[in-house]
Structure formats: structure tokens, C-alpha cells
Coordinates of all heavy atoms in Angstrom, one line a residue:
G1 N 21.1 -8.3 2.1 CA 21.2 -9.8 1.5 C 21.8 -10.7 2.5 O 22.3 -10.4 3.6
P2 N 21.8 -12.1 2.1 CA 22.4 -13.1 2.9 C 23.9 -12.9 3.2 O 24.6 -12.4 2.3 CB 22.2 -14.3 2.1 CG 21.0 -14.1 1.2 CD 21.1 -12.6 1.0
C3 N 24.2 -13.1 4.5 CA 25.7 -13.0 4.8 C 25.9 -13.9 6.1 O 26.2 -13.4 7.2 CB 25.8 -11.5 5.1 SG 27.6 -11.0 5.3
P4 N 25.7 -15.2 5.9 CA 25.8 -16.0 7.1 C 27.2 -16.2 7.7 O 28.2 -16.2 6.9 CB 25.3 -17.4 6.5 CG 25.7 -17.3 5.1 CD 25.4 -15.9 4.7
P5 N 27.4 -16.2 9.0 CA 28.7 -16.2 9.5 C 29.4 -17.5 9.3 O 30.7 -17.6 9.2 CB 28.5 -16.0 11.0 CG 27.1 -16.4 11.3 CD 26.3 -16.1 10.0
S6 N 28.7 -18.6 9.1 CA 29.3 -19.9 8.8 C 28.2 -20.9 8.3 O 27.0 -20.7 8.6 CB 29.9 -20.5 10.1 OG 28.9 -20.8 11.1
G7 N 28.6 -21.9 7.6 CA 27.6 -22.9 7.1 C 26.7 -22.4 6.1 O 26.7 -21.3 5.6
I8 N 25.8 -23.4 5.7 CA 24.7 -23.1 4.8 C 23.5 -22.6 5.5 O 23.1 -23.4 6.5 CB 24.4 -24.3 3.9 CG1 25.6 -24.7 3.1 CG2 23.2 -24.1 3.0 CD1 25.4 -26.1 2.3
H9 N 22.9 -21.5 5.2 CA 21.7 -21.0 5.8 C 20.6 -21.1 4.7 O 20.8 -20.9 3.5 CB 21.9 -19.6 6.2 CG 22.7 -19.5 7.5 ND1 22.3 -18.6 8.5 CD2 23.8 -20.1 7.8 CE1 23.2 -18.8 9.5 NE2 24.1 -19.6 9.2
R10 N 19.3 -21.2 5.2 CA 18.2 -21.2 4.3 C 17.5 -19.7 4.5 O 17.5 -19.3 5.6 CB 17.1 -22.2 4.8 CG 17.6 -23.6 4.7 CD 16.6 -24.6 5.4 NE 16.6 -24.2 6.9 CZ 15.4 -24.2 7.6 NH1 14.3 -24.6 7.1 NH2 15.5 -23.9 8.9
Y11 N 17.1 -19.2 3.4 CA 16.5 -17.9 3.3 C 15.1 -18.0 2.7 O 15.0 -18.5 1.7 CB 17.4 -16.9 2.5 CG 18.7 -16.7 3.2 CD1 19.8 -17.6 3.0 CD2 19.0 -15.7 4.2 CE1 21.0 -17.5 3.7 CE2 20.1 -15.6 4.8 CZ 21.1 -16.5 4.6 OH 22.3 -16.2 5.3
F12 N 14.1 -17.4 3.4 CA 12.7 -17.5 3.0 C 12.2 -16.1 2.6 O 12.2 -15.2 3.4 CB 11.8 -18.1 4.1 CG 12.2 -19.5 4.4 CD1 13.1 -19.9 5.3 CD2 11.4 -20.5 3.7 CE1 13.5 -21.3 5.5 CE2 11.7 -21.8 4.0 CZ 12.7 -22.2 4.9
F13 N 11.6 -16.1 1.4 CA 10.9 -15.0 0.9 C 9.4 -15.4 1.1 O 9.1 -16.4 0.5 CB 11.0 -14.7 -0.5 CG 12.4 -14.1 -0.9 CD1 13.5 -15.0 -1.2 CD2 12.7 -12.8 -0.9 CE1 14.7 -14.5 -1.5 CE2 14.0 -12.2 -1.2 CZ 15.0 -13.2 -1.5
K14 N 8.7 -14.7 2.0 CA 7.2 -15.0 2.2 C 6.4 -13.8 1.6 O 6.6 -12.7 2.2 CB 7.0 -15.4 3.5 CG 7.6 -16.7 4.0 CD 7.2 -17.1 5.3 CE 7.9 -18.4 5.7 NZ 7.8 -18.7 7.2
L15 N 5.5 -14.0 0.7 CA 4.6 -13.1 0.2 C 3.2 -13.3 0.7 O 2.7 -14.4 0.6 CB 4.7 -13.1 -1.3 CG 3.9 -11.9 -2.1 CD1 4.6 -10.6 -1.8 CD2 3.9 -12.2 -3.6
Y16 N 2.5 -12.3 1.2 CA 1.2 -12.5 1.8 C 0.3 -11.6 1.0 O 0.5 -10.4 0.7 CB 1.2 -11.9 3.2 CG 2.1 -12.7 4.1 CD1 3.5 -12.3 4.4 CD2 1.6 -13.8 4.8 CE1 4.3 -13.0 5.2 CE2 2.5 -14.5 5.7 CZ 3.8 -14.1 5.9 OH 4.7 -14.8 6.7
A17 N -0.9 -12.1 0.5 CA -2.0 -11.4 0.0 C -2.9 -11.0 1.1 O -3.4 -11.8 1.8 CB -2.6 -12.3 -1.1
L18 N -3.2 -9.7 1.1 CA -4.0 -9.2 2.2 C -5.2 -8.5 1.7 O -5.3 -8.0 0.6 CB -3.2 -8.1 3.0 CG -1.8 -8.5 3.5 CD1 -1.0 -7.3 4.1 CD2 -1.9 -9.6 4.5
D19 N -6.3 -8.6 2.5 CA -7.6 -8.0 2.1 C -7.7 -6.5 2.5 O -8.8 -6.0 2.5 CB -8.7 -8.8 2.7 CG -8.8 -8.9 4.2 OD1 -8.0 -8.1 4.9 OD2 -9.7 -9.6 4.7
I20 N -6.6 -6.0 3.0 CA -6.6 -4.5 3.5 C -5.3 -3.9 2.9 O -4.4 -4.5 2.6 CB -6.6 -4.4 5.0 CG1 -5.4 -5.0 5.6 CG2 -8.0 -4.9 5.5 CD1 -5.3 -4.7 7.1
L21 N -5.3 -2.5 3.0 CA -4.1 -1.7 2.8 C -3.7 -1.4 4.2 O -4.6 -0.9 5.0 CB -4.5 -0.5 2.0 CG -3.4 0.4 1.6 CD1 -2.4 -0.3 0.6 CD2 -3.8 1.7 0.9
L22 N -2.5 -1.7 4.6 CA -2.1 -1.4 6.0 C -1.9 0.0 6.3 O -1.2 0.8 5.5 CB -0.7 -2.2 6.3 CG -0.9 -3.7 6.1 CD1 0.5 -4.4 6.1 CD2 -1.7 -4.3 7.2
Q23 N -2.4 0.4 7.4 CA -2.3 1.8 7.9 C -1.2 1.8 9.1 O -1.4 1.1 10.0 CB -3.6 2.2 8.5 CG -4.7 2.2 7.6 CD -4.6 3.1 6.3 OE1 -4.1 4.2 6.5 NE2 -4.9 2.5 5.2
S24 N -0.1 2.4 8.8 CA 0.9 2.4 9.8 C 1.9 3.6 9.5 O 2.0 4.1 8.4 CB 1.7 1.1 9.8 OG 3.0 1.3 9.5
K25 N 2.7 3.9 10.5 CA 3.9 4.7 10.3 C 4.9 3.9 9.6 O 4.9 2.7 9.6 CB 4.4 5.2 11.7 CG 3.5 5.9 12.6 CD 4.0 6.0 14.0 CE 3.0 6.6 14.9 NZ 3.4 6.6 16.3
A26 N 5.8 4.6 8.9 CA 6.9 4.0 8.2 C 7.7 3.1 9.1 O 7.9 3.5 10.2 CB 7.7 5.0 7.4
G27 N 8.2 2.1 8.6 CA 9.1 1.3 9.4 C 8.6 0.1 10.2 O 9.1 -0.2 11.3
F28 N 7.6 -0.6 9.6 CA 7.1 -1.8 10.3 C 8.3 -2.7 10.6 O 9.2 -2.9 9.7 CB 6.2 -2.5 9.4 CG 4.7 -2.3 9.6 CD1 3.9 -2.0 8.5 CD2 4.1 -2.5 10.8 CE1 2.6 -1.9 8.7 CE2 2.8 -2.3 11.0 CZ 1.9 -2.0 10.0
T29 N 8.4 -3.3 11.7 CA 9.3 -4.5 12.0 C 8.4 -5.7 11.6 O 7.2 -5.7 11.5 CB 9.6 -4.6 13.5 OG1 8.5 -4.7 14.3 CG2 10.4 -3.2 13.9
K30 N 9.1 -6.9 11.6 CA 8.4 -8.1 11.4 C 7.2 -8.4 12.4 O 6.1 -8.7 12.0 CB 9.3 -9.3 11.3 CG 8.7 -10.6 11.1 CD 9.6 -11.8 11.1 CE 8.9 -13.2 10.9 NZ 9.8 -14.2 11.1

């Protein structure tokens, strides 16, 4: 969760609808 060191930060949840099921090893990075 959010834990900013100082000040007000903005946090974005972005949800994507995809036309495929992703094939990958576990642990995708952004």
C-alpha cells in the first residue's frame, strides 16, 4: 500500500481489458 516519505502522493489503479490471456512465467514486472 501507499507509504509516501513526505507530502501528498497520487496513486493510480489502472485496469486493462485484454483480448488475450497472457502467457508468462509468474512475476510480471510493470
Side-chain angles (χ1 to χ4, degrees):
C3 196
S6 64
I8 297 172
H9 285 222
R10 297 167 301 142
Y11 295 88
F12 291 87
F13 292 89
K14 292 185 182 173
L15 186 66
Y16 301 90
L18 307 175
D19 65 2
I20 61 168
L21 189 63
L22 296 169
Q23 303 297 317
S24 121
K25 301 173 188 170
F28 262 131
T29 62
K30 179 182 176 184

